[in-house]
Amino acid sequence: MTDTPTADSAAAPIKRKGVKRRAFLIGGVAIVGAGLFGISIADSNAAKDAKARIAGKGEHVFATWLKIGEDDSITIYSPHTDIGQGSNTGLAQMLAEELDAAWDQVRLVSAPAEASFANVGLGRGFLGEMTGQPAIVNGIPASFLSFIARQMNLQITGGSTALRFTGQQTFQKVGAATRLALIETAAKRLNVPAAELTTQDSKVIHAKSSRALRYGELAAEAATLSLDNAPKLKDPAQYRLMRQSIPRLDIPAKVDGTAKYGMDFAVPDMRVATIMAAPVRGGKLTSVDTAPAMAIKGVEKVIKLDDAVAVVAKGYWPAISGLRALSPSFSDGDNAGISTASIFTAHDALIAKGKADNEAGEGDVKAGLGAKPIEAKYQVPFLHHAMMEPFALTAHFKDGKLNIWGGMQDPLSTKMAAVEVSGLDADNVTFHPMIIGGSFGRRLPMYMEIVTQVTKLAMQLPYPVKLIWSREEEVAQGAYRPQSSAVLTASVTDKKRIAAYQNDYVQPVSAEDETVFPYILPAVSRRHFAHVSNQNTGAWRSVNSTQQGFYNESFMDELAHAAGEDPVVFRRNHLKAGSRHLRVLDEVAARSGWGSPVPAGRGRGVALVESFKTIVAHVVEASVGEDGMPKVHKVTTVVDAGSIVNPDAAMAQIEGGTIMGLSSAIGEAITLDKGAVQQSNLSDYQLLKMAQSPLVQDIHFLNSGADMGGIGEPGVPPAAPALANALFAATGKRVRNLPIKTQAKG
């Protein structure tokens, strides 16, 4: 989950202030044009390096990502990390479909964290969305984009990009091009026209002569051919693997326990370390008496870092016991005056001052608002990722070489971060990617300290060391979704139409390039006011769409109520006729029974959000219990992601995203006092429990034929506003501040 941009709203063209990225990015291609020959050579060398790293005896490599063995084995190398989302199975389906591979011969493994495996397809997809010119980007030579991907150390998993970028831009094309190379080779062997050949189940077949050749016996020669850069892909009507609910490749090992996570990893003579950083971010370690830790059996060393202290021992229990025995002193970095309340006060002051850092929109909003506009202020807290597996990286520095093992969302950038910290050459640092026990955006190296920490420890120790963050450290030292505020202002005409709409919001960075406002209005203003606290903030599942979805969809309900209009009808009247958004809204209303009676004490709420090119609408049916806490009875969901590769995997992602969105709305919050996080564990960072989860989740996918959207993140954003709107329908009380638990008794 990274800070990835998506398309701007078609309904509200953007008038930006600041850098013109389209001109910069596309112009940059022309600037380096003279160097394309050198770049082409570098690309060829990268391909040779990739082949040398993965090709064994009797194995032949195609376009870096595919290896076919003479025994007919098919190995796909994924530049994406398995975080439990199932996207690697989808990637394998996409490549194997175009290759016409026998599925039982396919296996998928993690690509090495090396520059030769930088993800050019991801770069092409990102660049197309950032510039808004995918046709121009598609015309850029692949060698140039590959060069850029290597310079950026691009191996990120996040932003719902695996299938829609890597899958479509690279894996389908590699599968199709390799299939053509195999056909060309078979045509020569059989002395028949290539047009007479077909492929199926890893064989090239000549029906007229009843002859067939296995991919394995063609691979060596086919791998010497130049692959087509733009092969024709299958018509979806021909699919045998894509759009099928094929069981995920990763599940058997996770069920039988053979799958190994970073927390499981072990090597001979390994020690275990754990760490405590300054509780107030920005603070430094000023002093620590190491004797209490060293007195504990099994503790071997206490290491002081600039802003933390670590204890190294023969196991985790003596390490954490030694750490708890210490009483380190830390400075506060002059941040002791920061609190949750002070941050919200700063937000209010910025909006009142009125000097935005970024503005977008169209029309005369000031004139449209009139003398008596409708105004509402919303606030959301810092949110923690609360991943199941706390951080655990193992590192070993020996004979001038550093090896690191663990699960990270960007293995190549992790390697290069370790290169920078260690001072070693890149050839002497190896990162070994492993599967991840949850992340939601947390395990990106730019948002975390553990890579630096474990590298520094390993460089000082004669044996391998596994650094484990305790749950307490992981909660208190997060890279949270930002604490954010918004003041929304609008006016509604006597014809129940919005005349003007203004969204003034405060958070560290602008959400403009990522979030979509789908409503057609005469005048819209979106103004970003930048505020940075002492906390480390970063990507959280669905990134900025959670805040903006809550603000806009809650306020749309308020405006519908002020206009005396049904919330679904009110939204319909502001959506483009025939649009995907309108179809999704109509479908969710029909499937949820919108407008029909609900049991006493219950209410229905609706929300519609587009994120990562996917449109999701939720209708939540909820009530309030005797304890004042919301109870979700049913969630009806309609999703338009263009097309779906694996329906079961997509269903699981929407289910999980919905529950995560409800959990964050009901009980989750990171709060600050005297500059430090107040929460210490999952006991006081309250995740939704199974008994609180929706009793029914009714999910439907629309195959609109639009460009493929993401699926891992878009289920989250509509959940909070749909719940808040349902609670208003049930109680007449508006929820403008999250989490809801803070208002349960109010």
Side-chain angles (χ1 to χ4, degrees):
M1 282 175 288
T2 58
D3 243 326
T4 53
T6 59
D8 300 321
S9 168
I14 303 305
K15 301 174 183 176
R16 286 195 178 86
K17 295 181 178 179
V19 177
K20 296 181 179 178
R21 292 186 301 169
R22 294 185 186 184
F24 173 79
L25 290 168
I26 297 176
V29 176
I31 291 173
V32 301
L36 284 180
F37 178 72
I39 289 173
S40 179
I41 293 176
D43 191 51
S44 176
N45 289 338
K48 291 177 182 177
D49 178 74
K51 179 179 178 181
R53 290 181 183 278
I54 64 175
K57 185 177 180 180
E59 298 176 333
H60 307 284
V61 178
F62 297 82
T64 300
W65 309 108
L66 172 65
K67 183 172 69 178
I68 299 178
E70 293 173 8
D71 60 355
D72 292 334
S73 61
I74 294 173
T75 307
I76 298 170
Y77 287 84
S78 173
H80 290 284
T81 305
D82 176 0
I83 314 176
Q85 76 278 43
S87 59
N88 273 334
T89 299
L91 286 172
Q93 286 178 258
M94 296 174 85
L95 195 153
E97 178 67 73
E98 296 294 342
L99 182 62
D100 269 341
W103 183 249
D104 61 358
Q105 294 170 335
V106 172
R107 73 184 188 105
L108 185 141
V109 298
S110 293
E114 300 294 340
S116 51
F117 290 88
N119 191 347
V120 62
L122 187 63
R124 188 183 293 274
F126 275 140
L127 193 57
E129 283 198 355
M130 288 170 65
T131 62
Q133 301 289 336
I136 294 177
V137 172
N138 286 336
I140 298 173
S143 59
F144 172 71
L145 289 176
S146 180
F147 173 78
I148 295 298
R150 292 194 299 275
Q151 297 306 303
M152 294 176 63
N153 305 313
L154 197 59
Q155 264 189 352
I156 290 175
T157 298
S160 288
T161 57
L163 303 189
R164 67 189 178 109
F165 287 171
T166 308
Q168 293 188 116
Q169 295 287 349
T170 301
F171 275 34
Q172 283 186 273
K173 294 176 182 178
V174 168
T178 302
R179 175 178 167 273
L180 291 177
L182 292 164
I183 288 174
E184 182 180 340
T185 303
K188 293 178 182 178
R189 294 255 187 109
L190 299 175
N191 196 27
V192 299
E196 292 184 2
L197 298 174
T198 59
T199 53
Q200 185 174 332
D201 292 335
S202 297
K203 294 177 182 178
V204 180
I205 302 165
H206 187 242
K208 286 185 178 181
S209 63
S210 299
R211 291 180 292 171
L213 294 172
R214 297 179 294 102
Y215 283 2
E217 57 188 315
L218 297 169
E221 185 177 348
T224 66
L225 303 179
S226 296
L227 297 185
D228 190 337
N229 288 325
K232 183 180 179 181
L233 303 182
K234 287 184 179 181
D235 185 300
Q238 300 174 295
Y239 287 165
R240 296 181 303 107
L241 298 175
M242 287 178 65
R243 300 187 181 177
Q244 301 299 312
S245 293
I246 292 175
R248 281 170 41 180
L249 298 173
D250 57 305
I251 294 301
K254 291 177 179 178
V255 171
D256 66 22
T258 56
K260 298 298 181 185
Y261 294 84
M263 190 67 74
D264 302 319
F265 185 77
V267 289
D269 299 321
M270 183 184 79
R271 305 299 194 272
V272 176
T274 193
I275 198 162
M276 179 193 303
V280 179
R281 276 199 175 272
K284 303 296 182 183
L285 178 66
T286 56
S287 66
V288 61
D289 178 6
T290 63
M294 295 302 296
I296 292 177
K297 185 179 180 180
V299 171
E300 297 189 348
K301 195 175 184 66
V302 176
I303 297 178
K304 303 173 188 178
L305 301 179
D306 185 44
D307 60 352
V309 58
V311 174
V312 182
K314 292 184 177 179
Y316 180 71
W317 180 245
I320 192 66
S321 298
L323 190 68
R324 289 170 179 168
L326 297 177
S327 300
S329 295
F330 296 95
S331 66
D332 60 25
D334 296 326
N335 292 321
I338 297 175
S339 67
T340 297
S342 75
I343 292 174
F344 280 136
T345 298
H347 290 181
D348 293 343
L350 284 171
I351 293 176
K353 191 174 181 180
K355 292 186 177 181
D357 292 270
N358 296 283
E359 297 182 31
E362 63 176 1
D364 191 340
V365 172
K366 185 175 181 180
L369 289 177
K372 294 183 178 180
I374 301 164
E375 182 178 290
K377 182 171 80 172
Y378 295 87
Q379 295 178 333
V380 298
F382 289 113
L383 287 181
H384 181 46
H385 297 78
M387 53 197 183
M388 290 181 65
E389 179 195 20
F391 289 138
L393 290 181
T394 301
H396 189 198
F397 178 63
K398 183 179 181 181
D399 298 330
K401 296 185 182 296
L402 176 66
N403 283 273
I404 304 177
W405 296 263
M408 295 287 285
Q409 282 182 255
D410 192 337
L412 183 51
S413 286
T414 300
K415 167 184 167 153
M416 298 313 296
V419 167
E420 183 175 353
V421 173
S422 67
L424 300 171
D425 291 337
D427 290 343
N428 291 325
V429 177
T430 302
F431 180 76
H432 305 268
M434 301 181 70
I435 59 176
I436 297 176
S439 179
F440 311 114
R442 181 64 179 102
R443 294 177 189 264
L444 291 165
M446 61 283 229
Y447 298 144
M448 55 189 293
E449 298 88 351
I450 191 171
V451 178
T452 296
Q453 293 170 345
V454 77
T455 300
K456 288 182 175 180
L457 296 184
M459 301 295 286
Q460 299 182 47
L461 297 171
Y463 37 67
V465 60
K466 179 193 290 183
L467 176 59
I468 299 175
W469 276 29
S470 67
R471 181 68 71 182
E472 291 81 3
E473 187 75 359
E474 192 251 333
V475 171
Q477 301 289 338
Y480 313 113
R481 189 195 75 176
Q483 183 176 333
S484 175
S485 302
V487 174
L488 281 80
T489 312
S491 60
V492 180
T493 70
D494 55 5
K495 294 183 179 180
K496 302 181 180 181
R497 297 294 192 273
I498 299 172
Y501 189 103
Q502 181 169 304
N503 178 354
D504 290 347
Y505 65 97
V506 188
Q507 60 184 49
V509 298
S510 171
E512 185 58 41
D513 286 335
E514 181 195 328
T515 56
V516 176
F517 186 75
Y519 300 106
I520 310 296
L521 308 179
V524 179
S525 171
R526 296 183 293 277
R527 302 196 299 173
H528 165 240
F529 299 82
H531 179 268
V532 178
S533 73
N534 70 321
Q535 292 305 299
N536 190 15
T537 59
W540 189 90
R541 191 175 185 178
S542 77
V543 202
N544 292 303
S545 295
T546 52
Q547 303 98 302
Q548 295 299 317
F550 176 63
Y551 300 153
N552 288 317
E553 286 302 291
S554 296
F555 195 51
M556 285 296 290
D557 239 58
E558 295 208 41
L559 297 179
H561 181 71
E565 186 67 279
D566 176 85
V568 168
V569 174
F570 187 76
R571 284 173 172 79
R572 289 191 88 259
N573 290 339
H574 293 90
L575 291 172
K576 183 179 179 181
S579 66
R580 294 168 62 206
H581 297 90
L582 184 57
R583 184 186 175 198
V584 169
L585 181 64
D586 285 345
E587 190 76 14
V588 81
R591 291 185 177 276
S592 66
W594 186 269
S596 64
V598 295
R602 296 188 188 182
R604 286 195 189 99
V606 64
L608 172 75
V609 180
E610 177 183 344
S611 61
F612 304 95
K613 295 288 190 178
T614 292
I615 303 166
V616 177
H618 291 322
V619 169
V620 168
E621 185 176 313
S623 62
V624 177
E626 293 182 0
D627 58 356
M629 293 292 286
K631 183 173 181 61
V632 180
H633 302 279
K634 181 179 181 181
V635 181
T636 304
T637 303
V638 172
V639 181
D640 181 356
S643 61
I644 299 297
V645 173
N646 188 311
D648 276 359
M651 184 81 70
Q653 287 301 294
I654 296 298
E655 287 175 343
T658 303
I659 291 173
M660 190 168 180
L662 293 172
S663 179
S664 67
I666 292 172
E668 296 182 39
I670 290 290
T671 57
L672 304 181
D673 184 47
K674 297 180 181 179
V677 171
Q678 293 179 286
Q679 287 67 38
S680 62
N681 208 310
L682 297 183
S683 57
D684 51 7
Y685 186 82
Q686 296 180 9
L687 301 173
L688 199 69
K689 296 180 174 62
M690 189 174 292
Q692 298 171 297
S693 298
L695 299 178
V696 178
Q697 280 191 265
D698 188 16
I699 300 171
H700 305 272
F701 291 92
L702 303 180
N703 189 357
S704 65
D707 291 341
M708 184 184 293
I711 207 68
E713 311 197 55
V716 179
L723 174 59
N725 296 336
L727 295 176
F728 173 77
T731 67
K733 295 181 180 179
R734 282 287 172 196
V735 174
R736 297 192 182 99
N737 304 327
L738 298 179
I740 297 169
K741 72 175 183 180
T742 61
Q743 302 149 68
K745 301 297 183 181

